[in-house]
């Protein structure tokens, strides 16, 4: 008698057999209810597998080429409104599967931070777990702060200036943010007397968006960006007001 695919996955999960789960999930789709159980399972290996599968499922939900996110809420997808609604619903369902905690180990927390970052750029109201309460390694805290910046650049107004913020900005690209223009504008407003942050802004603003570095479209932001870049200001940006 042949075991139904879902039943085989269910049995492997009931036995907490991570190796079998990995083999089975490589050849068949894992139902959402089982995926939710996996990401909350007491066994670290199964939680990690569940989060990895969830990331893959998220990539399938309207992702663009490479690591580009799918359509942001309020933006039309390639297939029009119906496609956007379908993809939006899928991302919402996957988001509900995520645990409420920032993870029980540095490796798990880092994976969760990257997942939340990818969701935050599509869901501006997306809430992150309270990652600041735990004593996480610096590299993990940077990943969580980056997720906050990409989803809500207004975080820059209250985030203490320091190495954590500098590195989070350096590891962010405005083109990956929910609102690239807002991220660049917030960085410009925050950095006047902060040399390390000034140095990080051009890196964060790189990435094509409408033929210009991401978000550098308004006259005010373009002028401020020019002051940061100095002689490295791209020639095609010097044609606007003030140049």
């Amino acid at each position: 008698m042949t075991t139904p695919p879902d039943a085989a996955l269910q049995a492997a999960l009931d036995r907490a057999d991570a190796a079998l789960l990995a083999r089975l999930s490589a050849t068949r789709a894992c139902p959402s209810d089982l995926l939710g159980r996996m990401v909350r399972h007491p066994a670290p290996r199964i939680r990690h597998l569940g989060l990895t599968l969830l990331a893959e499922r998220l990539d399938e939900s309207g992702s663009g080429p490479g690591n580009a996110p799918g359509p942001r809420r309020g933006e039309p997808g390639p297939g029009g409104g119906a496609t956007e609604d379908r993809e939006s619903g899928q991302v919402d369902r996957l988001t509900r599967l995520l645990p409420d905690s920032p993870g029980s180990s540095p490796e798990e927390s880092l994976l969760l931070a990257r997942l939340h970052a990818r969701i935050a750029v599509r869901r501006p109201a997306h809430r992150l777990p309270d990652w600041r309460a735990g004593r996480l390694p610096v590299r993990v805290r940077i990943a969580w702060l980056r997720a906050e910046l990409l989803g809500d650049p207004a975080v820059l107004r209250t985030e203490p200036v320091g190495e954590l913020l500098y590195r989070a900005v350096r590891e962010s690209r405005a083109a990956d943010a929910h609102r690239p223009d807002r991220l660049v504008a917030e960085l410009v407003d925050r950095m006047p007397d902060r040399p390390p942050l000034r140095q990080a802004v051009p890196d964060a603003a790189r990435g094509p968006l409408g033929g210009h570095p991401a978000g550098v479209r308004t006259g005010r932001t373009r002028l401020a960006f020019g002051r940061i870049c100095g002689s490295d200001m791209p020639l095609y940006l010097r044609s606007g007001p003030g140049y």
Side-chain angles (χ1 to χ4, degrees):
M1 179 177 178
T2 302
T3 304
D6 290 1
L9 285 165
Q10 176 78 56
L13 183 56
D14 290 342
R15 295 198 304 270
D17 190 334
L20 180 57
L21 272 172
R23 290 197 300 273
L24 291 174
S25 59
T27 59
R28 65 199 73 182
C30 183
S32 293
D33 59 332
L34 294 185
L35 193 55
R37 285 182 56 194
M38 290 174 69
V39 300
R40 290 175 171 79
H41 199 278
R45 286 183 62 193
I46 293 180
R47 284 201 307 274
H48 188 276
L49 175 62
L51 291 171
T52 301
L53 292 175
L54 196 152
E56 293 174 357
R57 191 77 59 85
L58 187 62
D59 283 342
E60 296 168 0
S61 301
S63 295
N67 294 321
R72 295 167 172 86
R73 180 163 289 179
E75 295 180 355
T83 299
E84 181 190 2
D85 291 344
R86 185 168 59 253
E87 292 168 353
S88 176
Q90 171 75 337
V91 173
D92 286 341
R93 286 190 292 274
L94 294 174
T95 301
R96 288 193 290 269
L97 298 180
L98 287 171
D100 298 326
S101 74
S104 58
S105 70
E107 293 75 17
E108 184 176 310
S109 189
L110 189 61
L111 181 54
L112 279 166
R114 290 168 178 167
L115 269 170
H116 279 280
R118 289 151 78 178
I119 292 171
V121 300
R122 307 188 201 182
R123 302 289 178 269
H126 178 65
R127 296 185 62 182
L128 274 60
D130 186 10
W131 60 272
R132 298 173 187 271
R135 300 184 62 180
L136 298 170
V138 172
R139 66 187 178 93
V140 181
R141 295 176 66 81
I142 291 169
W144 280 109
L145 182 53
R146 175 181 176 272
E148 285 193 355
L149 292 176
L150 293 179
D152 182 14
V155 170
L156 281 162
R157 303 175 190 174
T158 56
E159 183 64 27
V161 174
E163 186 64 22
L164 192 71
L165 179 59
Y166 299 149
R167 291 177 62 180
V169 170
R170 283 193 177 279
E171 294 185 15
S172 302
R173 285 197 331 146
D176 295 333
H178 175 71
R179 284 285 304 277
D181 55 337
R182 278 192 58 206
L183 179 56
V184 174
E186 292 286 356
L187 284 168
V188 165
D189 286 341
R190 190 75 198 273
M191 64 84 219
D193 57 347
R194 309 287 183 178
L197 196 54
R198 287 174 65 99
Q199 295 166 12
V201 174
D203 288 337
R206 295 201 201 290
L209 185 69
H212 294 78
V216 189
R217 295 196 264 188
T218 66
R220 172 181 171 276
T221 307
R222 184 167 63 248
L223 286 171
F225 187 76
R227 289 196 298 272
I228 299 168
C229 292
S231 60
D232 293 331
M233 183 70 168
L235 290 175
Y236 58 79
L237 286 179
R238 301 185 188 186
S239 58
Y243 289 97

